[in-house]
Amino acid sequence: MNAPDLQRLLVPRTVALVGSGAWTDAVAAGAQTLGFPGELWRVHPTRPSQPGAPYFRSIDDLPAAPDTAFIATPNHEVPAIATALARRGAGGFVCFSAGFAETATPAGLRLTRELEQGAGALPFLGPNCYGMVNFFDRVALWPDQVVGDSPERGVALISQSGTIALTLMFSDRSLSIGYLLTVGNQTRLAAEDLIDVLSEDPRVTAFGLYLEGIKDTAKFARAVDKARARGKPIAVVKSGRTETASRTARSHTGALSGSDAVFDAYCAQAGIARCETLSTLCETLKIFHGGGPLAGRRVVVMGASGGDMAMTADVARHLALEFPPFTADTTARMNAIVGERVTVANPFDMHTYLWFQHAALRQLFDEVFRSDVDAVGFMLDCPPAASADDSAYTAVIEQFAAASRGAQPRGVFISSLPETAGHTVRQLCLASGLVPLQGQREALEALHLAALVGDAWRDGTPPILSRPLPAVGPVQTITAHAGKAALGAFGLQAPRSLVVPALQAAAAAAAIGFPVVIKATGAGLEHKTELGGVVLGVRNAEQAAAAGTKLAALSDDVLVEQMIDDGIVEILVGITVDEQFGQLLLIGSGGVQAELWQDTMTLLPPWSREAIAAALRQLKVSAVLDGYRGQPASDVEALIDAILAIGRYAAAHRDTLVELDVNPIIVRPRGAGAIAVDVLIRKAEES
């Protein structure tokens, strides 16, 4: 849907309010509060006209086709109203009425089909949505109180929840809101449609989303890429972090790649800030609105409290922020200003010795803003202006703001509590070019997320959704030996091996060369270790014969293969297929403890050497890969080669591959390679 298709819906000059009672009255009141410059037409078959509020009996009785309509009637009346709007040539509508597909009942689904048919090609929000507010153009189709001004620039908030949208509107955080849009059931217009259209509005600086689900993932990804290309970052709160995977997992990969991990991976690669709370969403959007993502992760946080600075270091310990020390030259100049009693460090407790020496404070702030960092934060909690004198506090903020003007690092003001940055202080900051951030944790999380988005925009390639065609046949499991051979054709290294009848294990072991590993093989043996189907460290013919006899109880044939006994670390690599996002690459700590450790990273294509190397660095096991406590470093380059080989196989078999699990890849010392010792492949049979 192109931008002109929504112009009349989003920027109407004539609005029909269809229905009676408190809801449409509230819409009319909200439009008046915001100063709607157009005409409101009230529609109801029997409600008597009132002074200043005449009623029309139907859509057909209106003086012209309305640009948009707000429908608040019993749900069974909605399809006919939509039909009338389409017939009359309206521009679109908001369906406030509920009781449609969200009920998951036959009646609700039937009404949804009738609504879609009646609306024809008309764009509409809902049903079961709270409406929309276009603050830019003073349009309110909102059945509740409307709070806010008409900014020149602002963020677009898109929510599947009306209550959460209302909460964001009511927030006292000085977030410049340009659009507030709810999408309800997303029957016609979904979040991705609005992102696509509003990316072209030069007044929109960023997008804030509350999502419960994505209607069309491919369209959503295209809209996200478009917003990124237009320089409009996105922050999102998405519910469902505790949702478990709906499918039955046959492998470690399947067990570890839940849907929420997939969305996390998508956000990281696409450059979307995924927020845990609405507070962090607001603070992140303030940073985005004030200048986009951060250029990097290097920050200085300073303030006049040792406690605040200690808490800053503690709160940020799990974040990606970096607090680089000041250079020796900068430290010397700062020491000359603050004196020997103050220790120059980052985070920086500046004390209060200079609190009333504004010229010296300005010198100090100037020095800090000359640092090679991406943001400088000044933390201060101010008394309420209505009941105390805050002038000593605002005077210091003014010196900090003056130093920030023209400086390379982004200047931000941080209050440790949301309420100790009152409206007056926030307006002072905004007028001075500072971003006022409320709440220590939320502020640091927002800086962290803005830095990660900056990293992705600068260094990352947008993810590609590699979704297979529908499966064409039943799923088959390929044996480990055949799977390694198939992957070997794409460059994956495996041990020397033979598949033989169980009672011939000793002869096969002798042919390969001791030591060997002997494994049961065949269908239904995906987790061989748990079934006692693996015998390690077989070092002579007698042990091999005994292993063959033992494993014969599990399978007729056994896999005898070279034992890799110089491994440093075991890594799991797998491919799984998500219904929405397509093929996924999962990398993590391997072996029998893979699911226990939960040390994994998920990547969407394209799978480049750089992306894989970055993912490996984020694993807890990365320290072992690099040589932990004097141990030899492992062959990371060979491991990356192995992962790339698995990715090539997955891409070549996109339409038939259901699941692939290589667990483990044994990574040997640097220069010795990385060897895949167990493989599970599940594929749909080709037609």
Side-chain angles (χ1 to χ4, degrees):
M1 190 167 289
N2 299 319
D5 296 326
L6 298 189
Q7 180 68 17
R8 292 175 66 195
L9 171 64
L10 297 178
V11 194
R13 287 295 170 258
T14 55
V15 173
L17 304 182
V18 188
S20 64
W23 297 118
T24 51
D25 289 346
V27 174
Q32 183 177 16
T33 298
L34 196 57
F36 176 55
E39 294 185 61
L40 289 179
W41 298 331
R42 307 295 295 268
V43 180
H44 192 272
T46 61
R47 193 174 187 186
S49 296
Q50 302 169 8
Y55 272 83
F56 298 90
R57 297 304 165 218
S58 69
I59 298 297
D60 292 332
D61 290 337
L62 294 174
D67 288 326
T68 193
F70 185 92
I71 303 175
T73 67
N75 58 6
H76 65 272
E77 297 178 6
V78 172
I81 296 169
T83 300
L85 288 167
R87 182 176 63 247
R88 194 74 199 275
F93 60 90
V94 172
C95 184
F96 174 72
S97 306
F100 290 81
E102 80 277 3
T103 65
T105 62
L109 296 172
R110 174 182 54 78
L111 279 174
T112 299
R113 290 192 298 270
E114 292 175 358
L115 170 60
E116 291 183 285
Q117 292 169 359
L122 280 187
F124 63 87
L125 295 170
N128 188 33
C129 82
Y130 217 57
M132 55 162 273
V133 184
N134 173 355
F135 288 99
F136 290 132
D137 301 298
R138 300 188 179 277
V139 177
L141 298 174
W142 193 257
D144 211 313
Q145 297 185 66
V146 176
V147 178
D149 299 318
S150 179
E152 293 183 4
R153 299 166 63 253
V155 303
L157 298 176
I158 303 169
S159 174
Q160 282 187 258
S161 165
T163 300
I164 284 178
L166 195 66
T167 299
L168 292 170
M169 184 198 292
F170 289 169
S171 67
D172 187 18
R173 291 179 176 266
S174 297
L175 174 63
S176 180
I177 303 174
Y179 288 100
L180 184 70
L181 304 155
T182 63
V183 291
N185 293 359
Q186 304 191 105
T187 298
R188 177 62 53 83
L189 289 176
E192 50 266 27
D193 298 303
L194 298 172
I195 295 169
D196 177 62
V197 168
L198 298 182
S199 290
E200 300 180 11
D201 189 331
R203 301 170 298 181
V204 172
T205 56
F207 290 94
L209 311 179
Y210 172 77
L211 299 177
E212 295 164 0
I214 298 173
K215 181 179 179 181
D216 185 327
T217 313
K219 186 184 288 187
F220 183 83
R222 289 194 297 271
V224 168
D225 290 347
K226 181 176 179 179
R228 175 172 169 172
R230 299 293 196 279
K232 302 176 192 292
I234 298 173
V236 60
V237 171
K238 182 178 180 296
S239 60
R241 280 199 178 275
T242 58
E243 179 185 351
T244 57
S246 60
R247 63 186 178 277
T248 301
R250 297 288 299 275
S251 68
H252 294 292
T253 301
L256 290 165
S257 58
S259 61
D260 194 64
V262 177
F263 188 73
D264 259 350
Y266 172 75
C267 288
Q269 289 178 245
I272 296 174
R274 187 171 186 191
C275 308
E276 292 281 355
T277 65
L278 296 181
S279 295
T280 300
L281 177 74
C282 289
E283 303 312 300
T284 304
L285 288 172
K286 283 197 257 184
I287 295 176
F288 286 164
H289 173 72
L294 292 181
R297 306 181 182 193
R298 295 163 60 84
V299 300
V300 170
V301 175
M302 62 187 302
S305 165
D308 281 346
M309 296 305 100
M311 288 185 65
T312 294
D314 286 347
V315 171
R317 68 190 185 279
H318 298 308
L319 304 178
L321 297 176
E322 299 172 7
F323 296 87
F326 296 104
T327 66
D329 288 344
T330 299
T331 299
R333 290 192 295 269
M334 291 172 66
N335 274 328
I337 299 169
V338 298
E340 296 181 355
R341 290 176 293 178
V342 177
T343 300
V344 175
N346 185 17
F348 177 39
D349 174 14
M350 56 183 278
H351 293 259
T352 55
Y353 301 120
L354 305 178
W355 198 252
F356 298 102
Q357 300 178 42
H358 293 163
L361 275 176
R362 173 64 189 274
Q363 284 184 296
L364 180 64
F365 291 142
D366 283 342
E367 285 296 338
V368 174
F369 272 102
R370 292 189 187 102
S371 302
D372 181 20
V373 294
D374 304 294
V376 175
F378 180 49
M379 183 173 289
L380 182 65
D381 293 276
C382 301
S387 55
D389 180 4
D390 65 350
S391 59
Y393 295 79
T394 57
V396 175
I397 297 171
E398 287 171 349
Q399 295 303 319
F400 180 76
S404 73
R405 295 189 190 104
Q408 186 65 32
R410 193 89 58 87
V412 300
F413 173 83
I414 302 171
S415 64
S416 58
L417 294 174
E419 59 270 23
T420 53
H423 179 76
T424 302
V425 169
R426 297 197 305 271
Q427 290 305 112
L428 167 63
C429 290
L430 291 170
S432 305
L434 296 177
V435 178
L437 300 178
Q438 294 168 259
Q440 183 182 51
R441 176 173 291 279
E442 297 95 322
L444 293 171
E445 288 176 350
L447 290 167
H448 154 84
L449 289 167
L452 293 184
V453 172
D455 286 349
W457 279 25
R458 183 183 61 253
D459 302 328
T461 301
I464 296 171
L465 305 190
S466 181
R467 298 195 294 187
L469 297 173
V472 296
V475 174
Q476 61 175 337
T477 299
I478 298 174
T479 64
H481 183 66
K484 278 184 270 192
L487 288 164
F490 288 82
L492 185 67
Q493 301 297 310
R496 300 187 303 274
S497 63
L498 291 169
V499 175
V500 298
L503 299 182
Q504 296 179 19
I512 290 172
F514 295 103
V516 297
V517 178
I518 304 178
K519 305 174 183 178
T521 185
L525 294 174
E526 289 87 3
H527 300 288
K528 291 181 283 293
T529 301
E530 290 90 330
L531 296 172
V534 179
V535 180
L536 301 171
V538 177
R539 299 188 176 277
N540 54 53
E542 290 76 18
Q543 292 178 355
T549 300
K550 172 188 173 183
L551 297 178
L554 293 175
S555 63
D556 294 333
D557 294 330
V558 294
L559 173 66
V560 183
E561 66 182 9
Q562 169 195 8
M563 182 172 175
I564 308 301
D565 54 7
D566 63 346
I568 293 176
V569 65
E570 295 185 350
I571 297 294
L572 160 70
V573 180
I575 301 287
T576 189
V577 181
D578 181 81
E579 291 181 1
Q580 287 191 305
F581 289 94
Q583 284 191 339
L584 310 169
L585 172 67
L586 185 136
I587 308 168
S589 300
V592 296
Q593 296 162 319
E595 292 173 40
L596 177 64
W597 288 0
Q598 296 281 315
D599 179 25
T600 63
M601 288 293 297
T602 301
L603 295 176
L604 284 80
W607 299 313
S608 66
R609 177 172 289 274
E610 294 75 18
I612 292 169
L616 289 171
R617 287 193 295 270
Q618 294 182 63
L619 294 175
K620 298 172 186 174
V621 78
S622 64
V624 182
L625 285 168
D626 293 336
Y628 185 66
R629 291 193 173 183
Q631 296 299 310
S634 63
D635 200 336
V636 175
E637 291 304 313
L639 172 60
I640 295 174
D641 288 338
I643 297 170
L644 287 170
I646 294 167
R648 289 192 294 271
Y649 175 89
H653 297 84
R654 184 192 65 180
D655 292 332
T656 56
L657 183 63
V658 174
E659 198 168 23
L660 187 156
D661 194 76
V662 183
N663 184 33
I665 293 178
I666 296 180
V667 190
R668 305 169 79 184
R670 184 174 295 162
I675 308 296
V677 299
D678 205 359
V679 169
L680 166 69
I681 297 177
R682 298 177 66 225
K683 292 178 63 180
E685 293 181 2
E686 299 185 29
S687 57

